[in-house]
Amino acid sequence: MRFFYKLMIILAMAGFVPLSAQAPVNPDSGGDSHSQPGKSSAPPSETVVLDTADVTAWLDGFMPYALERGQIAGGAVVVVHNGQPIVEKGYGYADFATKKPVDGKTTMFRPGSISKLFTWTAVMQQVEAGKLDLDKDVNAYLDFKIPPYDGKPITLRNIMTHSAGFEESIRHLISNDPKAVMELGKYSREALPERVFAPGTTPAYSNYATALAGHIVERVSGMSFDDYVDQRIFAPLGMAHSTFRQPLPAKFKPFMSSGYKSLAAPAQPFEIVIPAPAGSLSASSADMGKFMMAHLADGGKLLSPETARMMHNYQAPNIGPLNSMALGFYEQWINGRRAISHGGDTGLFHSDLWLFPKENIGLYITMNSGGKEGASHAVRTALIQKFANRYLPDNRQFTPIDEATARKHAEIMAGTYVMSRGSFTNFMSLFGLLSTTKVLVGPDGKIMIPSLDGMSAGIREWVEVEPFIWRDTTTGERLAAEVKDGRVVRFSIDSFSPFTVLEPARAATNAAWLIPALLAALAIVLLAALAWPTRALVRRSYKAEFALTDRSLLAYRLSRVCAWLVLAAVAGWVGLVAAFSADIGSIGGPLDWLINLLRVITPVASIGLLATSIWHLVLSVQNRRRWTMKLGAVLMIFAGLVLTWVTFQFHLYGFNMVY
C-alpha cells in the first residue's frame, strides 16, 4: 500500500497524476438518476455567506494548523468570486531557514501540472483563430510523423482528454540540472513513447502529449512557447509574477519560494520540468487568481465565450456516471455542483485549482513541501471538502442496494488490477508489477481497496448504491465498473476517472501469483548462492571430496555463478527503484549506465540460470546422483523459469532509451 501511494506521488509529476488528481467530496451525478433518496451521503449544512471576512477567518483556523501538523513549510490560498479576489493569503514560510514568510500576492510557487491549463488555453486560442482543428490528425501540424495505432491517428481532442493512447514516459521528465532543458521540437522527437491504446478509447494521462500540444502551438503561431504564453496569456491578464521559463529568470528569483522534500531536509534546487508545457510554470497565487477569474468570466481576455464554453462543457466518454475530462480540465462533481479543476505536483510543490463556473467561484491552494507521509495531499483534499461543505453545502441522500446483490457484485469485482497510466513496453513496466491494485471482499460483503485508503483521511467504506456503482460513505466519492458477461472490463473512481482507469491484470503478469512465485524463486537462488561457498568451506574443513567432477562439476559451478549474477541484477534493480523513488531526476541520464548494464546482466543471468540448471539436472539424472541433488536442480530450474519469464514479460533487456 505504501509503495502504491509513494508511486502515485512520484507519478504526479515527479509525478504529474494522481495526485494531480484530487479526491472529490460528495460528487454528484450531475442531476442524473444516480442520486437516490435514503441514507444521507453528507451531514446537512447551512449556507455560509462567502465573503472576505468569513473566508479569511475560516482559512486562518484551518491552514496554520494543517501546515504545522503536516510538517509543511508554507503555502498560499486564493479564493475568487464574481470576478473579484476574496482572499489572497500566504501561510508559513517561503524559506524555512531564514523564516521568510509567504506573501500571498508575490511569492511564487510551482503549480506542476496545473501548467497544462495554460497550454490548453493556448491551444483553444489557436482553435479560435482557425489555425488548429481539434479533430484533425496532429501530423498535419508537425514536421515528423506519429505512426497511427490500429490505423487511427491522434487528434488534439484526444490529447486534451488524455486519450491519445501513449504509455507513460518519464526519462525526460524532471531534473535538477539546468542543462536538462530541451527545445520542444527535439523533445517531441526524442521522447516519443509507444502508443498502447487506440485513440479515444482509454484515458491514460500523458505529459508527453501535453508537451506535444505546446510544440504544435509553437509551430502554428510562429512563436516559442515561452514567448507565446508571456504575450498571449500573462500580459493580457497582468500576471507579472509568472513564467514558464527555465532556469528561473533572475528577475523572479527574489519572489521564488524554496521547495522542500520535508522540513527535515534542506531546500532543494530549482526543478527543471523537461516537457515544459506540461508543468514548468512558476507563478504567484495572486496571478493564479487572475487566471481563474478569466476562465470564470467565460474566457475573459483570453477566449471568446463560445470557445470557453466549448472547453469547459465538453464531457469525454467514461465509465458510467464518473467524472470525465472536459477539454483539458478535469470534471468534478462536489455537493451536487459541477466543478472543473486540475491538480499539480512536482517533486517539491503540491497544488490544486478548482473552478465552479455556475457559482462563479475559484479556489487555488499551493504548498512548497510534501510534508510528513504525503500530508500535502491530505491538506488539499480536506481544504476543498471543508470549503464545499461550508460554502456549497449538500443535503442529498442515497439508498444502498440489497446486501445479497452487493455481495455478489463485490465478488465479481474481486481481483488484481493495473492502471491504464503506466509503462507497458519497456523496463519501467516492472513498476506496474509492484503497484497493482487489489480489490477484496470484506467480511460484510463490501468491496475493499486497501491501496486507495492511503489516498484519503482514513479507511474507505464503499457502499453499492446502484448496480456496479459505489459511494464512499466518508467522502461521497464514487466508484463505478464496466461489466460485460459477468466480468469486469475496467473500473475507476471519481478522482482518477478523468485520466486513468484500472483494468484486470493479464494472467501472464498478474501480481497475485507472480510476486509469490518471484519471491520463492529469489529465495531459492539466494540459498543456492550462499550454499556454494558454505559447502566448499565445510568440505575443506573435513577434507572431503566433492562428488561432482568434469562436466557435472562445470554445470554445477556455472549454475551457481548465474545465481550470484541474478542476485547482483536484483540488487541493481532494487537500487534503481530506490533512486527513482528518492529522486525521479536520477532516472533520466545520470543512471543510464546502470539501466543499460542491468538490461545486459538480467537476461544473461536469468537465461544462464535456466540453461545451466537444466544441464545440471540432465547430468545428475544420467550419472544417477542422489535425489537431493536432483531436487536442488529442479528447484533451480523453477527459479530460472520464473526469472526468465519476468525478464521478458517486463522487458528487462534491450537498449531502447525511450522509457
Side-chain angles (χ1 to χ4, degrees), residues 1-12 14 17-19 345 350 370-381 434-436 450-456 496:
M1 181 174 74
R2 288 186 180 275
F3 184 87
F4 175 87
Y5 181 56
K6 190 167 187 179
L7 182 67
M8 296 296 282
I9 294 175
I10 292 169
L11 287 179
V17 218
L19 299 178
D345 303 76
H350 309 276
K372 183 180 180 180
E373 297 181 352
S376 61
H377 181 64
V379 172
R380 293 151 59 178
T381 301
L434 301 176
S435 59
T436 54
S451 62
L452 296 184
D453 291 341
M455 305 291 289
S456 63
F496 296 169

Side-chain angles (χ1 to χ4, degrees), residues 31-145:
D32 61 19
S33 62
H34 303 297
S35 293
Q36 300 183 21
K39 183 179 177 181
S40 174
S41 62
S45 303
E46 294 182 1
T47 303
V48 177
V49 176
L50 192 154
D51 59 23
T52 298
D54 191 83
V55 176
T56 299
W58 177 73
L59 286 172
D60 287 349
F62 175 85
M63 285 296 293
Y65 174 76
L67 295 182
E68 181 178 1
R69 185 174 179 83
Q71 297 182 20
I72 297 166
V77 179
V78 174
V79 178
V80 299
H81 186 214
N82 291 334
Q84 297 293 327
I86 299 297
V87 171
E88 297 171 334
K89 192 162 185 182
Y91 294 91
Y93 301 107
D95 186 272
F96 189 72
T98 63
K99 298 299 186 286
K100 179 182 178 181
V102 174
D103 186 312
K105 292 186 180 296
T106 61
T107 300
M108 297 169 66
F109 289 75
R110 306 293 302 280
S113 283
I114 297 174
S115 307
K116 292 179 172 68
L117 297 179
F118 292 78
T119 303
W120 306 138
T121 299
V123 169
M124 295 306 292
Q125 286 177 336
Q126 293 303 300
V127 169
E128 186 174 299
K131 294 183 178 181
L132 291 177
D133 183 333
L134 292 177
D135 299 306
K136 190 173 185 177
D137 182 348
V138 295
N139 284 315
Y141 308 116
L142 298 171
D143 57 357
F144 66 98
K145 187 175 179 60

Side-chain angles (χ1 to χ4, degrees), residues 108-112 115 234 239 241-246 248-249 252 256 270-271 279-284 287-288:
M108 297 169 66
F109 289 75
R110 306 293 302 280
S115 307
F234 295 156
M239 296 177 66
H241 294 87
S242 299
T243 183
F244 268 79
R245 299 180 188 276
Q246 301 175 115
L248 188 70
F252 293 118
M256 189 68 220
F270 184 85
E271 297 166 292
S280 72
L281 176 63
S282 302
S284 69
D287 277 5
M288 295 300 292

Side-chain angles (χ1 to χ4, degrees), residues 132-179:
L132 291 177
D133 183 333
L134 292 177
D135 299 306
K136 190 173 185 177
D137 182 348
V138 295
N139 284 315
Y141 308 116
L142 298 171
D143 57 357
F144 66 98
K145 187 175 179 60
I146 298 177
Y149 186 95
D150 285 349
K152 298 177 181 178
I154 61 172
T155 67
L156 282 167
R157 190 180 301 274
N158 297 147
I159 288 174
M160 292 184 74
T161 56
H162 290 294
S163 61
F166 290 113
E167 71 174 338
E168 184 62 80
S169 177
I170 66 167
R171 181 171 188 264
H172 297 297
L173 182 60
I174 194 166
S175 173
N176 292 331
D177 184 358
K179 296 179 181 178

